[in-house]
């Protein structure tokens, strides 16, 4: 592959297509013209890069499936009148064998390609066609993609076959004597073991080990910073630990990622303090005129607006201070952004919308300034042409008047993982690790405020903050939020405020941590997940994880029943009964 075609490869990622020299057999439908063995396509680092790009291109093809399974099966999304029977089945948990959304094969097809690429990376390393450094980066990345896919399989199907060897077809998995199903917990153990050090957890370096930037997968193409395309491995490993109940290990991963900016910037500029932390500098629920709720800052392009998390066209510092993993759908290339068909009533099929339960949850909140309703709801769901539209997934397609910029140009982003997700998962892990006060700080008002001591009887903060504004907890919970004048000091957590404060909501009852109320604090975190992360593909996992942890899936069942009851759906009781059993929460596994 010639260097001058390298930019084209990135456009291939956006197109979910493949260059003719792509590396693995299952990623191409025709044999090369010279009929050489397919392994001969793995000759250079460029061929390895093409395999990586091809797999991420295939990953784009399941973006709609990811959102539908993780949101429609839970409590925040409901089908519209336009939805077909198969979407309605997911909604009511009455899935039939022919339901295409319940088919695990699309996940396994990508896994098979991951297996094939990983095997050939091994061959390339042994033949010295990849340096150790280039091999480490590419192998760890594709292995992480495979772990992400297996986690989705476990969440939705429970016990599934786990295979890491290349297979010709997914149909081979039907032989259970060769590929027995693993329980979800056993699957998690396998995934964790495959990702833990000495496997690399770093991202792609800006330049390759050979010193030539042309071989690096970390660059910028057509305004897209490609480092955001690739799965963030520590966040994923943290999630695997969280699912498995290894809370200290999970927190260790989350803590490392949250301090990325400070660590890389050395604390030398403001941006280093706020990257990957909800903070008082960016993406706020705020008003341009105090006391006037009609002046909500509600703009795609203003970095001080919470809404701009989901539609800021700037692909640089502002976006990457919140987004950790996001894959773009470019208007000039296939595949078409699938979220327009799912959610938009302008140029789309408008199949899904916010549930009444989700809207009620937002509407029942009271902001710190006594305005009624959580403004994140107003910016997540819009009334367009008289219909409630999930706009959070459409802001790269809609302008500030909520009209498509161009109905034929369906640009957008698959928003996979961001700072708020990271911090709320960190809070969940800390809570279950008996660090309830840390969890409170992460969710609520931040380390600085939660651990802010005052002079007795005065209510004033001492100017010397040497021994306050920090958790004084054991690692990885020893977080420093100091913001002092005498001596002058800025701790890496001094700007962090928690997603509730960023949303202009009052602090939760401090009795949650003062009385060490683990379960109640966990409930508050999951409620905050619903308000902050709605429609981003996190909800089913959040509800299922807590249910399994508590030893009863009635927690999840109650949430789904509440959604169906509000809609007057006759399947509410049946769905509750089914989901109250552990086997009932999983889809039937059929290949």
């Amino acid at each position: 592959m010639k260097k001058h075609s390298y930019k084209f490869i990135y456009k291939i990622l956006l197109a979910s297509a493949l260059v003719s020299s792509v590396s693995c057999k299952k990623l191409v439908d025709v044999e090369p013209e010279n009929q050489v063995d397919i392994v001969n396509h793995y000759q250079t680092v460029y061929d390895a890069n093409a395999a990586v790009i091809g797999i991420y291109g295939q990953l784009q093809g399941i973006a709609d499936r990811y959102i539908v399974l993780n949101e429609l099966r839970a409590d925040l999304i409901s089908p519209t009148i336009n939805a077909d029977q198969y979407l309605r089945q997911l909604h009511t948990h009455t899935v039939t064998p022919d339901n295409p959304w319940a088919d695990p094969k699309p996940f396994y097809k990508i896994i098979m390609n991951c297996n094939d690429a990983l095997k050939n990376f091994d061959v390339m390393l042994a033949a010295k066609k990849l340096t150790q450094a280039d091999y480490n980066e590419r192998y760890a990345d594709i292995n992480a993609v495979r772990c992400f896919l297996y986690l989705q399989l476990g969440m939705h199907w429970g016990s599934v076959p786990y295979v890491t060897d290349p297979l010709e077809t997914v149909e081979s998995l039907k032989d259970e004597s060769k590929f027995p199903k693993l329980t979800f917990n056993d699957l998690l153990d396998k995934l964790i073991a495959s990702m833990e050090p000495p496997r690399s957890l770093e991202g792609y370096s800006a330049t390759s080990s050979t010193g030539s930037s042309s071989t690096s997968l970390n660059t910028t193409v057509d305004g897209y910073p490609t480092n955001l395309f690739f799965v963030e491995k520590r966040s994923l490993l943290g999630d695997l630990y969280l699912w498995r109940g290894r809370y200290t290990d999970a927190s260790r991963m989350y803590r490392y990622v949250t301090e990325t900016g400070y660590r890389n910037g050395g604390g030398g500029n403001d941006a280093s303090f706020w990257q990957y932390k909800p903070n008082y500098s960016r993406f706020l629920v705020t008003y341009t005129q105090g006391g006037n709720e009609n002046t909500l800052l509600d703009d795609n392009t203003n970095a001080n607006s919470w809404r701009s998390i989901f539609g800021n066209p700037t692909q640089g510092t502002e976006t990457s201070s919140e987004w950790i993993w996001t894959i773009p759908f470019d208007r000039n290339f296939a595949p078409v952004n699938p979220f327009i068909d799912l959610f938009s009533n302008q140029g789309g099929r408008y199949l899904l919308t916010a549930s009444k339960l989700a809207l009620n949850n937002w509407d029942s909140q009271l902001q710190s300034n006594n305005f009624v309703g959580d403004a994140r709801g107003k910016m997540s769901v819009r009334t367009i042409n008289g219909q409630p539209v999930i706009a959070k997934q459409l802001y790269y397609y809609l302008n500030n008047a909520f009209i498509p910029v161009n109905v034929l140009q369906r640009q957008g982003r698959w928003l996979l993982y961001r700072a708020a997700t990271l911090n709320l998962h960190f809070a969940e892990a800390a809570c279950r690790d008996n660090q309830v006060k840390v969890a409170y700080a992460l969710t609520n008002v931040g380390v600085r405020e939660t651990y802010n001591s005052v002079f007795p009887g005065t209510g004033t903060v001492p100017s010397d903050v040497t021994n306050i504004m920090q958790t004084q907890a054991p690692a990885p919970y020893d977080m420093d939020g100091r913001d002092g004048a005498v001596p002058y000091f800025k701790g890496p957590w001094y700007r962090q405020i928690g997603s509730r404060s960023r949303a202009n909501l009052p602090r939760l009852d401090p009795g949650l941590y003062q009385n060490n109320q683990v379960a109640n604090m966990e409930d508050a975190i999951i409620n905050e997940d619903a308000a902050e992360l709605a429609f981003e593909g996190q909800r089913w996992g959040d509800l299922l994880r807590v249910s399994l942890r508590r030893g009863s899936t009635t927690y999840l069942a109650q949430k789904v029943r509440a959604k169906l009851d509000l809609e007057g759906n006759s399947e509410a009781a049946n769905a509750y009964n089914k989901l109250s059993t552990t086997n009932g929460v999983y889809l039937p596994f059929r290949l």
Side-chain angles (χ1 to χ4, degrees):
M1 186 176 302
K2 296 180 180 179
K3 293 182 180 180
H4 67 72
S5 67
Y6 201 68
K7 183 175 180 180
F8 178 71
I9 297 177
Y10 286 101
K11 292 185 177 181
I12 297 299
L13 170 60
L14 304 178
S16 188
L18 300 164
V19 289
S20 61
S21 59
V22 70
S23 318
C24 62
K25 185 172 184 178
K26 312 203 181 44
L27 292 179
V28 291
D29 295 324
V30 296
E31 292 290 331
E33 289 182 6
N34 58 7
Q35 297 295 312
V36 296
D37 187 88
I38 199 71
V39 75
N40 288 328
H41 284 277
Y42 283 92
Q43 296 298 310
T44 70
V45 66
Y46 300 107
D47 300 327
N49 287 350
V52 171
I53 297 302
I55 285 168
Y56 274 92
Q58 284 198 328
L59 194 63
Q60 280 184 295
I62 64 166
D64 55 349
R65 189 171 299 266
Y66 173 84
I67 293 296
V68 167
L69 292 178
N70 283 305
E71 295 291 347
L72 184 56
R73 299 185 71 214
D75 60 341
L76 304 180
I77 280 183
S78 294
T80 70
I81 194 172
N82 300 332
D84 63 17
Q85 60 176 322
Y86 298 119
L87 290 173
R88 295 182 182 280
Q89 287 175 7
L90 292 174
H91 178 57
T92 57
H93 295 270
T94 54
V95 172
T96 56
D98 62 335
N99 191 313
W101 296 100
D103 183 0
K105 286 196 292 294
F107 293 90
Y108 274 109
K109 287 178 180 177
I110 306 174
I111 287 171
M112 295 303 102
N113 287 324
C114 291
N115 292 346
D116 191 78
L118 294 173
K119 174 191 174 183
N120 282 288
F121 291 166
D122 286 338
V123 172
M124 292 182 77
L125 179 66
K128 301 187 183 307
K129 294 176 181 178
L130 277 182
T131 67
Q132 187 69 54
D134 286 341
Y135 167 86
N136 290 347
E137 290 180 349
R138 287 150 185 80
Y139 194 104
D141 183 33
I142 296 305
N143 178 64
V145 171
R146 182 173 65 184
C147 288
F148 167 77
L149 292 165
Y150 270 124
L151 177 59
Q152 294 301 309
L153 286 165
M155 286 164 48
H156 296 294
W157 284 273
S159 297
V160 298
Y162 177 70
V163 57
T164 58
D165 295 326
L167 299 175
E168 286 300 316
T169 67
V170 175
E171 303 301 315
S172 303
L173 292 171
K174 291 181 178 180
D175 187 347
E176 290 197 31
S177 66
K178 293 181 180 178
F179 306 105
K181 294 178 182 176
L182 294 184
T183 66
F184 191 11
N185 279 342
D186 287 344
L187 175 66
L188 290 168
D189 289 339
K190 292 282 189 182
L191 302 181
I192 288 169
S194 77
M195 285 196 67
E196 286 181 316
R199 184 75 63 212
S200 172
L201 294 175
E202 302 301 326
Y204 288 105
S205 56
T207 58
S208 76
S209 59
T210 62
S212 172
S213 61
S214 63
T215 66
S216 176
L217 285 163
N218 184 357
T219 185
T220 299
V221 175
D222 290 348
Y224 296 105
T226 61
N227 65 300
L228 296 178
F229 293 176
F230 306 112
V231 58
E232 207 293 310
K233 291 182 279 295
R234 282 189 174 85
S235 299
L236 175 59
L237 181 54
D239 286 351
L240 294 173
Y241 284 139
L242 183 62
W243 276 97
R244 197 62 182 97
R246 294 174 57 176
Y247 303 120
T248 304
D249 289 331
S251 293
R252 182 165 46 87
M253 291 296 112
Y254 298 142
R255 165 76 180 274
Y256 188 93
V257 180
T258 56
E259 293 185 350
T260 296
Y262 183 81
R263 187 172 53 255
N264 292 345
N269 57 72
D270 281 348
S272 67
F273 291 100
W274 72 58
Q275 186 175 20
Y276 299 160
K277 299 183 186 75
N279 64 85
Y280 58 75
S281 300
R282 290 291 185 272
F283 310 130
L284 307 169
V285 170
T286 188
Y287 297 83
T288 57
Q289 297 176 21
N292 184 352
E293 61 184 314
N294 294 320
T295 63
L296 174 68
L297 186 60
D298 183 8
D299 188 279
N300 262 4
T301 59
N302 191 319
N304 289 324
S305 168
W306 185 83
R307 175 184 160 194
S308 71
I309 292 173
F310 310 101
N312 195 325
T314 302
Q315 307 300 330
T317 303
E318 302 301 348
T319 301
S320 61
S321 67
E322 177 74 16
W323 284 104
I324 297 171
W325 186 20
T326 171
I327 301 176
F329 291 97
D330 192 86
R331 65 189 179 189
N332 296 315
F333 299 98
V336 172
N337 177 357
F339 305 130
I340 294 171
D341 260 357
L342 285 178
F343 300 124
S344 183
N345 62 359
Q346 301 174 94
R349 298 172 64 195
Y350 187 53
L351 302 174
L352 303 175
T353 189
S355 68
K356 291 181 181 179
L357 181 67
L359 297 175
N360 285 356
N361 288 343
W362 280 309
D363 291 344
S364 64
Q365 302 301 310
L366 190 67
Q367 295 182 46
S368 298
N369 52 11
N370 292 320
F371 292 164
V372 175
D374 185 335
R376 290 175 295 185
K378 298 177 183 177
M379 290 184 275
S380 297
V381 182
R382 302 288 182 180
T383 299
I384 300 176
N385 297 331
Q387 296 174 312
V389 172
I390 293 174
K392 181 187 274 191
Q393 294 281 6
L394 300 175
Y395 280 130
Y396 286 96
Y397 172 66
L398 303 176
N399 62 21
N400 279 329
F402 318 125
I403 298 170
V405 176
N406 184 327
V407 75
L408 299 179
Q409 294 181 353
R410 299 190 163 203
Q411 65 274 10
R413 281 182 173 271
W414 183 7
L415 307 172
L416 280 152
Y417 210 93
R418 60 188 177 97
T421 321
L422 175 71
N423 282 260
L424 286 167
H425 285 189
F426 191 178
E428 185 184 332
C431 182
R432 278 291 166 174
D433 210 13
N434 208 34
Q435 294 288 341
V436 182
K437 190 173 182 178
V438 172
Y440 181 93
L442 288 166
T443 308
N444 204 45
V445 294
V447 169
R448 185 183 64 175
E449 293 299 320
T450 302
Y451 292 85
N452 193 356
S453 300
V454 298
F455 286 125
T458 67
T460 60
V461 180
S463 58
D464 183 345
V465 295
T466 303
N467 295 313
I468 65 171
M469 299 184 184
Q470 51 190 317
T471 63
Q472 308 283 4
Y477 305 109
D478 52 335
M479 295 142 72
D480 184 352
R482 286 179 289 173
D483 179 17
V486 182
Y488 178 83
F489 191 83
K490 303 293 183 185
W493 288 82
Y494 94 94
R495 282 182 175 266
Q496 179 258 338
I497 60 174
S499 56
R500 281 184 61 83
S501 291
R502 190 170 71 171
N504 196 40
L505 294 181
R507 65 184 63 195
L508 296 166
D509 180 1
L512 289 168
Y513 69 82
Q514 291 168 349
N515 300 317
N516 204 43
Q517 299 179 36
V518 173
N520 289 339
M521 185 66 229
E522 186 173 70
D523 286 342
I525 293 167
I526 300 304
N527 290 339
E528 180 60 16
D529 286 337
E532 175 71 25
L533 307 176
F535 322 134
E536 294 175 31
Q538 296 292 327
R539 191 58 175 169
W540 178 261
D542 289 340
L543 296 180
L544 179 62
R545 189 170 56 249
V546 171
S547 294
L548 296 177
R549 179 183 300 145
R550 295 183 179 184
S552 172
T553 55
T554 56
Y555 179 82
L556 183 156
Q558 288 167 350
K559 298 285 188 181
V560 173
R561 180 171 188 168
K563 174 182 78 168
L564 296 175
D565 275 336
L566 268 178
E567 297 168 0
N569 194 302
S570 60
E571 291 291 338
N574 291 334
Y576 174 81
N577 292 335
K578 181 177 183 179
L579 295 174
S580 293
T581 65
T582 301
N583 288 337
V585 301
Y586 298 121
L587 295 169
F589 186 85
R590 297 183 180 88
L591 288 174

